Amino acid sequence: MSAIAKFEGDWREAKALIEKEIDRIWLNEPEEIQKIRWGVIDSGAGSGEQSFSVLVHLEAYLMLVGADVMYRFLKISQYEDMELSTLNRISREFLTGTFNVFEFMTDLGITNMHEVGQMYSDALDTLSTKEEYVQLTGAMMTYVIRMHRWIHYIFPWNLGVAFPHRKKAEVLSFARVAANA
């Protein structure tokens, strides 16, 4: 993965660019999702010449980052004793620090997620208030959640029938048959 240039704009510019991405993907399936759906992933992600594992990872990571991690950031930003500098540090550590989730999602085929995520992370330096943090992080969370909705929509849920829940009696029956074989 090539390095992403540092975003030099302020948080308002970053928020506007993120909102432009939200508008781009809101109603029409993005081209990068179409490519993932058809198994055309430029990074070569996937295993055994299939892209099912890519869909599994994107389903999990997009849901976790958007609806869980970023939502929690917004929630803790409301604590009176939570300082903006601490919010920024926590946000970076969870999203781009030891493991850059945005870079990973780009590797999985969401081609500009690393760039948008890095822009978000860099724009944190330009915030002056927690209210600004809420606006910027809220936009980023919306973008990630919307991307999740597209992956969720194209995920091959029909494959689940191959992995039914088993009743205890059925498993014990299999065990008896196997023991007598």
Side-chain angles (χ1 to χ4, degrees):
M1 176 69 45
S2 61
I4 301 289
K6 180 168 175 44
F7 177 72
E8 299 295 340
D10 74 356
W11 74 271
R12 286 177 187 85
E13 185 181 347
K15 180 178 176 276
L17 291 168
I18 294 166
E19 288 171 340
K20 187 176 179 182
E21 283 296 301
I22 293 167
D23 290 344
R24 177 181 72 85
I25 67 169
W26 195 258
L27 293 176
N28 298 308
E29 183 181 18
E31 184 178 311
E32 59 267 41
I33 299 296
Q34 292 174 27
K35 285 181 174 182
I36 293 166
R37 182 166 36 94
W38 292 107
V40 182
I41 301 166
D42 297 331
S43 70
S47 58
E49 296 187 24
Q50 53 80 28
S51 59
F52 179 71
S53 60
V54 169
L55 289 167
V56 170
H57 280 89
L58 283 171
E59 172 68 21
Y61 273 85
L62 286 164
M63 180 175 49
L64 178 68
V65 170
D68 187 52
V69 172
M70 297 192 92
Y71 172 77
R72 289 174 195 240
F73 292 161
L74 291 173
K75 184 175 182 199
I76 65 172
S77 74
Q78 303 306 305
Y79 298 167
E80 274 188 44
D81 61 344
M82 179 59 69
E83 298 291 329
L84 178 60
S85 61
T86 304
L87 280 169
N88 289 346
R89 187 173 185 180
I90 291 170
S91 298
R92 279 199 186 95
E93 188 59 37
F94 273 80
L95 299 171
T96 61
T98 53
F99 176 76
N100 190 322
V101 296
F102 301 122
E103 183 177 358
F104 181 60
M105 288 190 270
T106 292
D107 289 344
L108 293 174
I110 302 182
T111 51
N112 66 340
M113 186 64 83
H114 187 198
E115 183 178 349
V116 174
Q118 192 61 51
M119 178 178 58
Y120 165 79
S121 181
D122 292 341
L124 293 172
D125 289 334
T126 69
L127 298 170
S128 300
T129 67
K130 290 196 306 185
E131 291 75 23
E132 293 171 354
Y133 176 89
V134 168
Q135 289 183 52
L136 178 63
T137 301
M140 190 65 190
M141 181 180 84
T142 299
Y143 174 64
V144 172
I145 287 173
R146 192 60 186 174
M147 276 298 190
H148 172 249
R149 294 305 301 153
W150 283 112
I151 292 296
H152 192 78
Y153 177 71
I154 68 166
F155 192 85
W157 297 105
N158 58 311
L159 298 178
V161 298
F163 303 93
H165 287 189
R166 302 285 184 191
K167 293 184 177 11
K168 185 177 178 180
E170 188 178 13
V171 172
L172 291 173
S173 173
F174 291 154
R176 280 192 294 278
V177 168
N180 293 329

